[in-house]
Amino acid sequence: MRRTWLAAASVLALLVGACTGGGGGPTGPTGGQTGGGGEIHLVMWMGYTPPPPVEDSSEYLSIERMVKEFEAAHPNITIELQYVNSDNALQKATVALQGNKQPDISYQYGTNMPQLATSPKLVDLTDLVSDPAYDWEDFYEGERAVATVNGRVYGVPALVDNLAVVYNKDLFAKAGLPEPTNDWTWDDLRAAAKAITDPQEKIFGLVFPADASETMVWQYIAMLWAAGGDILNEDHTEAIFNQEPGVRALTTLVELANDGSLYLDYQPDSGKYGQLFNAGKIGMVITGPWDLGGFPDVNYGVVFMPSFEPGGSHETIAGPDNWVIFDNGPERVQAAWEFVKFMTSPEQVLRDSLDTSHMPTRASVAEMPEFQEFFDKYPGTEVFVENLQNVLKARPQIPQYPRISSALGQALVSAITGKATPQEALDQAAEQANGFLAVPA
């Protein structure tokens, strides 16, 4: 899903200030409370809007259903749903923490976790998820990585996606090309993009972002990982994206651009690439399952990201989001965990996927016979679900990452537009990144 980046430095400053706040008393923040007779009222922030219209409210209705079922089974616990735009959830949480008015449960982007983890009010869930009955290993590896900061688990997966290649079957046929398979390579993609490209008809083989944003960077990162590289070294003290795998990945994009096969999208979040894809002007789009509903005019297929060598890695990237719990006293923390545990159980993940088109956050759910209904209801999602096995890593869960991403994005644009060689551009970005890493967060 698309990610809106906040100014990390200002958000972090707010969180550090919030760390000095006092704990919640018997009457808790934002209206939540532990009343007499063991009654517990929880406040939950989520970014889903209620009906009307019902057809646009499936995510809210799914959460509401789970709340009602949980409350029926736990009559001493009530849960109040409050809408908070997910793009603003981190900033709103920092302000709430300053006034000790934090909710009990909140939906947060995975990229928010490093900042949130600086607050002692964020509950460390490491021991809770380690309970064998919860089966933490059932969540995909990349999801678990995003929920973890400095070796501690601070969230559980709420939503997962991934990147694959969506291609226009008719343009492949027009160019006399066989459709790609899940074992294809970047050489295969480059050859196909070149064959599909028709300058006179203004048809391009592949679209790629060119605005230096995180939208651009995370598509490149999937290539970087598949090439065998990484963004930073293991202890996050040095940038290594300028090593051979990173140069190889960026060189591939430069070659596509030099071929004339690459449509550079300078406003990737404006939706223009979708319009062009629908109009038959682009052969391939690197995107996620959220975009499929926006391609009504295309006879499309979906295939894994290419590997760099035959039989090599088809590693992809995801932008998992998390449910987090804030500390408003032990009774409310325990009640909040009981609901989060219920909400992320295999049975509830299955029902939520069927009701909303969400990818399953647990591997076991994708193997359930009942999950076949998901593919019947949401055509084109089969490859994206299978592709979850290729989600193995997370972007660095450190506060400096947004600045590193910005430097890397500028390097990508510089190389693709011919202003620097891939090595030069990445070396300059790595030098900037190392400067960011040298300053304690």
Side-chain angles (χ1 to χ4, degrees):
M1 309 299 175
R2 301 246 180 256
R3 298 290 174 262
T4 300
W5 284 86
L6 297 172
S10 61
V11 172
L12 181 59
L14 281 169
L15 275 170
V16 171
C19 291
T20 61
T27 300
T30 60
Q33 61 183 356
T34 301
E39 294 180 0
I40 300 172
H41 181 70
L42 303 177
V43 171
M44 177 176 173
W45 286 358
M46 49 89 230
Y48 303 136
T49 54
V54 172
E55 60 269 19
D56 294 336
S57 306
S58 62
E59 294 167 316
Y60 176 88
L61 294 173
S62 179
I63 292 287
E64 184 184 54
R65 173 191 57 75
M66 286 188 271
V67 166
K68 289 178 178 178
E69 290 181 7
F70 181 82
E71 289 178 339
H74 301 79
N76 65 315
I77 301 174
T78 56
I79 301 172
E80 178 185 344
L81 295 177
Q82 293 185 359
Y83 171 78
V84 172
N85 188 312
S86 295
D87 288 348
N88 305 323
L90 174 59
Q91 193 167 28
K92 188 173 176 67
T94 62
V95 174
L97 285 162
Q98 286 187 310
N100 195 33
K101 296 183 180 297
Q102 62 278 353
D104 298 282
I105 304 167
S106 177
Y107 186 104
Q108 294 283 342
Y109 290 154
T111 48
N112 297 349
M113 300 305 291
Q115 284 77 35
L116 287 171
T118 64
S119 172
K121 281 290 188 179
L122 188 69
V123 175
D124 183 340
L125 303 174
T126 307
D127 292 340
L128 293 171
V129 301
S130 297
D131 183 347
Y134 188 60
D135 196 3
W136 181 235
E137 298 296 316
D138 189 28
F139 293 94
Y140 293 96
E141 186 174 352
E143 294 175 331
R144 288 183 274 121
V146 168
T148 304
V149 180
N150 296 326
R152 308 300 294 178
V153 178
Y154 289 100
V156 298
L159 190 74
V160 69
D161 52 34
N162 61 77
L163 289 179
V165 178
V166 181
Y167 63 94
N168 185 317
K169 293 185 176 185
D170 295 336
L171 287 181
F172 268 74
K174 181 180 178 182
L177 297 169
E179 292 183 22
T181 66
N182 281 344
D183 60 359
W184 69 334
T185 66
W186 277 100
D187 286 341
D188 296 328
L189 182 146
R190 183 184 176 190
K194 200 169 183 177
I196 289 169
T197 298
D198 184 341
Q200 286 189 328
E201 296 294 327
K202 296 184 179 180
I203 296 174
F204 293 84
L206 177 70
V207 61
F208 202 84
D211 65 339
S213 69
E214 180 63 11
T215 299
M216 183 181 193
V217 170
W218 84 315
Q219 290 194 22
Y220 167 77
I221 290 171
M223 300 175 65
L224 169 68
W225 287 342
D230 213 334
I231 306 167
L232 306 178
N233 63 0
E234 192 171 344
D235 60 3
H236 294 167
T237 59
E238 182 183 4
I240 60 173
F241 54 73
N242 61 328
Q243 296 179 357
E244 190 278 333
V247 175
R248 184 179 188 184
L250 182 50
T251 299
T252 298
L253 292 173
V254 171
E255 289 172 342
L256 280 158
N258 291 342
D259 289 343
S261 306
L262 203 61
Y263 177 84
L264 296 179
D265 189 351
Y266 291 95
Q267 294 180 309
D269 293 330
S270 70
K272 185 175 181 180
Y273 72 90
Q275 296 171 16
L276 292 172
F277 191 62
N278 271 316
K281 296 298 183 180
I282 292 175
M284 293 173 282
V285 178
I286 299 172
T287 190
W290 62 85
D291 254 345
L292 294 182
F295 302 146
D297 303 323
V298 187
N299 177 24
Y300 65 79
V302 184
V303 69
F304 289 171
M305 295 283 288
S307 65
F308 281 89
E309 301 289 349
S313 169
H314 295 276
E315 191 163 346
T316 187
I317 189 170
D321 299 332
N322 289 317
W323 295 113
V324 302
I325 297 174
F326 291 102
D327 187 356
N328 291 317
E331 288 186 346
R332 288 170 63 179
V333 167
Q334 181 59 38
W337 170 245
E338 289 299 322
F339 179 64
V340 169
K341 185 168 61 172
F342 169 79
M343 189 168 45
T344 57
S345 65
E347 296 76 16
Q348 294 302 326
V349 169
L350 172 64
R351 293 183 64 182
D352 180 70
S353 292
L354 295 178
D355 289 344
T356 65
S357 80
H358 289 167
M359 298 286 107
T361 52
R362 285 180 175 268
S364 63
V365 172
E367 301 299 323
M368 291 180 178
E370 300 93 329
F371 195 73
Q372 181 59 44
E373 182 183 340
F374 183 85
F375 302 130
D376 297 336
K377 290 182 68 174
Y378 309 111
T381 56
E382 294 91 340
V383 173
F384 283 108
V385 172
E386 185 181 358
N387 202 29
L388 288 169
Q389 67 184 331
N390 294 318
V391 178
L392 304 177
K393 297 178 183 177
R395 287 163 284 184
Q397 291 294 75
I398 57 174
Q400 298 98 325
Y401 176 73
R403 285 175 288 171
I404 294 171
S405 172
S406 179
L408 181 52
Q410 294 294 337
L412 299 180
V413 172
S414 179
I416 291 174
T417 56
K419 296 178 181 177
T421 69
Q423 187 71 70
E424 291 169 346
L426 292 175
D427 282 345
Q428 183 177 0
E431 184 178 353
Q432 291 178 275
N434 290 336
F436 301 143
L437 292 169
V439 179

